[in-house]
Amino acid sequence: MSDKFVKVTTPEGVTAELPVKEGVIGPPTFDVKTLHKQTGYFTYDSGFAATGACESGITFIDGEKGILQYRGYPIEQLAENSNFIEVAYLLMNGELPNKAEFKSFDEEITRHTMVHEKIRSLMKGFQYDAHPMAMMMSVIGSFAAFYHEGMSVDDAKDRRLAAIRLIAKMPTVAAAVYKNYIGQPFMYPRNDLNFTERLLHMMYGVPAEPYEVNPVAAKALDLLFILHADHEQNASTSTVRLVGSTGANPFACISAGIASLWGPAHGGANEAVLNMLGEIGDVSNIEKYVAKAKDKNDPFRLMGFGHRVYKNYDPRATIIRKACHEVLDDLGIDDPQLELAMKLEEIALKDEYFVQRKLYPNVDFYSGIIYKALGMPTQMFTVMFAIARTVGWVSQWLEQYETADTRIGRPRQLYTGPVTRDFVNIDKR
Ligand code: CMC
């Protein structure tokens, strides 16, 4: 804590001194916790545009410069040199693992990949065409019923075990959700495979014949998972923290995170981008859709464009855009939607509306084209995002318990309803 203060004076002339809190990098904050006590005022910030809700040492973003770092490591370096399990270790533990630490962490995750057999009966209750995100949310939430008794959120060992279970079981559930969706038998995890290979095997393998994992697909998924692993205090992570602040069961917290991720303004954008590209259909229609996106009377937005924090190219989009070309080339796929997406980007980036508002492609703009190339239906895209983001969610949830300043999250409001009035009996209304 620095010894600087910000002075605030209300229209009534009441002055408050609010301590300035500075992080190691990034803009400073001033701590408004005592504002109400000192002045009788609350702050109002409906979309949390200028509000820091916690201290965190996990992920750093500089939105103006287009910088993203996990525990200080630039995302570009991690994407180039690391792998998802190593990144998971880094996010959870704060440091990159040495060889022995990596091996034991990987083995630990691998040992927890199976899910309780009763989960299968639970899944059979869903309609075959239930949205995969709806199934994910419910199944992960239902884990709270399997892991509640004997699990204490106040015990660091129990918390860590819950985090490991979540990272390990998400792909198994995701694959089961996919199998339910397409009506094939569920596959058990194969522990001789690595994290993304195992997922591909559970999704695309069938009991009737051997399945050979395509290394290009496994590597592409690994890259996407690294890029989606954490992103500071976004909507779903803040949801996990808010639910977590009440002391709730960790599986319930992550289920809430999945619910938040599903929305098209957040992780659901990857599915929405492909639907949008399908609707645009052809390069000749781009101008019409760009005009729709600019029209304030039209709810249409360019999905995969814009970001609350990035006022520059999303660094993850730069990496995914390049990977898109490589993966499609390696798989021998010629997808006209990639050309359409690139043309759309080119036109939008030259348009005064997008330039003025600093709207650039975000992480979701190109990721769907890769998922599609790997044979996934659009409804599964956000499920893939959820597998990766689970690492961020559990890391932030663990950190929350280790931060002294953690209290129950309880925002206030600006009341706009009726003032006090007397009850009128129903026959007199
Ligand atoms: N298309 C057209 N106009 C847009 C778009 C867009 N995609 N995004 C923002 N704008 C306009 C918006 O209408 C507003 O204009 P004006 O100042 O004239 O009112 C201005 O840009 C600022 O937008 P905002 O809605 O106030 O910005 P926000 O920070 O509240 O919203 C966002 C950020 C990501 C929700 C929004 O840009 C959006 O809806 N984008 C499309 C959905 C999307 O791609 N989401 C994925 C985000 S990244 C991955 C993730 O979070 O999981």
Side-chain angles (χ1 to χ4, degrees):
M1 174 89 69
S2 77
D3 50 7
K4 293 184 210 154
F5 287 85
V6 168
K7 256 195 184 156
V8 179
T9 307
T10 69
E12 297 80 18
V14 182
T15 299
E17 282 199 337
L18 304 169
V20 169
K21 281 182 111 174
E22 291 181 84
V24 286
I25 35 174
T29 63
F30 53 92
D31 187 342
V32 295
K33 224 180 284 141
T34 60
L35 181 72
H36 181 247
K37 213 167 165 189
Q38 292 191 61
T39 65
Y41 275 69
F42 289 122
T43 56
Y44 181 78
D45 181 11
S46 65
F48 306 116
T51 298
C54 62
E55 285 183 18
S56 180
I58 301 177
T59 291
F60 174 75
I61 303 173
D62 184 330
E64 295 297 327
K65 296 194 183 127
I67 290 174
L68 167 63
Q69 298 173 351
Y70 296 161
R71 302 280 190 186
Y73 294 103
I75 193 67
E76 294 78 5
Q77 291 184 24
L78 293 169
E80 181 73 30
N81 305 303
S82 191
N83 59 64
F84 179 62
I85 290 297
E86 191 172 63
V87 165
Y89 184 98
L90 171 69
L91 288 168
M92 260 180 79
N93 300 292
E95 296 297 335
L96 284 167
N98 62 29
K99 279 186 183 156
E101 286 163 341
F102 178 84
K103 186 166 177 282
S104 106
F105 183 68
D106 190 34
E107 278 171 7
E108 210 181 352
I109 300 268
T110 304
R111 264 201 312 274
H112 285 282
T113 48
M114 285 198 299
V115 297
H116 197 289
E117 279 295 306
K118 282 218 157 88
I119 294 288
R120 287 167 182 263
S121 2
L122 187 125
M123 291 211 51
K124 290 204 170 101
F126 289 112
Q127 282 285 39
Y128 75 94
D129 59 351
H131 195 288
M133 280 298 275
M135 292 193 264
M136 282 305 282
M137 201 169 62
S138 321
V139 174
I140 298 300
S142 80
F143 279 174
F146 294 94
Y147 305 110
H148 191 64
E149 296 309 319
M151 210 245 64
S152 164
V153 291
D154 296 321
D155 182 326
K157 273 218 303 279
D158 283 6
R159 290 198 298 270
R160 190 172 178 287
L161 179 59
I164 295 284
R165 278 183 171 142
L166 274 155
I167 297 172
K169 293 182 199 307
M170 281 292 283
T172 314
V173 176
V177 154
Y178 175 67
K179 290 298 198 190
N180 192 67
Y181 192 66
I182 59 168
Q184 282 186 0
F186 298 157
M187 297 288 285
Y188 285 107
R190 254 183 59 191
N191 287 356
D192 58 320
L193 299 174
N194 74 25
F195 192 84
T196 48
E197 291 168 347
R198 194 184 304 130
L199 170 62
L200 287 167
H201 171 258
M202 286 189 288
M203 284 183 73
Y204 300 123
V206 288
E209 55 188 51
Y211 170 78
E212 216 172 290
V213 177
N214 182 334
V216 174
K219 191 162 171 273
L221 262 193
D222 198 80
L223 174 70
L224 288 172
F225 286 179
I226 292 174
L227 299 176
H228 284 90
D230 195 45
H231 211 234
E232 207 226 57
Q233 305 311 318
N234 54 84
S236 56
T237 302
S238 299
T239 303
V240 169
R241 279 188 179 261
L242 191 58
V243 182
S245 78
T246 69
N249 178 290
F251 297 94
C253 296
I254 302 306
S255 174
I258 296 172
S260 170
L261 186 74
W262 191 5
H266 191 10
N270 54 14
E271 179 181 344
V273 168
L274 263 263
N275 292 338
M276 173 188 77
L277 291 175
E279 196 184 317
I280 297 176
D282 187 78
V283 173
S284 61
N285 294 324
I286 290 179
E287 298 284 359
K288 188 175 105 196
Y289 279 88
V290 168
K292 267 165 78 64
K294 295 183 330 190
D295 180 355
K296 292 287 162 207
N297 298 317
D298 190 326
F300 177 80
R301 281 190 167 198
L302 275 197
M303 299 316 285
F305 255 77
H307 198 276
R308 170 62 62 78
V309 184
Y310 292 120
K311 301 302 163 201
N312 201 323
Y313 217 95
D314 180 337
R316 302 166 299 175
T318 314
I319 301 169
I320 297 182
R321 188 183 198 270
K322 184 166 165 269
C324 231
H325 288 280
E326 291 166 2
V327 173
L328 265 58
D329 278 354
D330 285 352
L331 296 174
I333 295 173
D334 179 21
D335 185 349
Q337 283 196 324
L338 176 57
E339 199 204 323
L340 184 62
M342 281 170 41
K343 196 73 198 157
L344 177 58
E345 177 192 338
E346 189 191 315
I347 292 174
L349 289 186
K350 281 194 203 130
D351 192 292
E352 196 45 33
Y353 174 96
F354 291 88
V355 174
Q356 240 182 28
R357 290 167 180 76
K358 299 186 176 172
L359 300 170
Y360 292 86
N362 59 49
V363 68
D364 289 324
F365 192 65
Y366 286 105
S367 62
I369 294 176
I370 300 187
Y371 289 134
K372 184 179 157 211
L374 303 185
M376 285 182 207
T378 47
Q379 288 86 344
M380 281 299 290
F381 295 178
T382 316
V383 170
M384 294 297 117
F385 193 157
I387 294 176
R389 187 53 58 84
T390 295
V391 162
W393 291 330
V394 298
S395 302
Q396 303 260 355
W397 177 78
L398 289 171
E399 183 186 57
Q400 181 173 32
Y401 274 91
E402 284 146 21
T403 310
D405 199 25
T406 300
R407 304 162 74 194
I408 185 169
R410 193 356 179 142
R412 299 305 303 263
Q413 62 172 12
L414 190 62
Y415 179 68
T416 57
V419 291
T420 318
R421 48 185 173 164
D422 287 325
F423 181 80
V424 180
N425 207 292
I426 194 159
D427 40 82
K428 297 224 171 104
R429 275 176 240 155

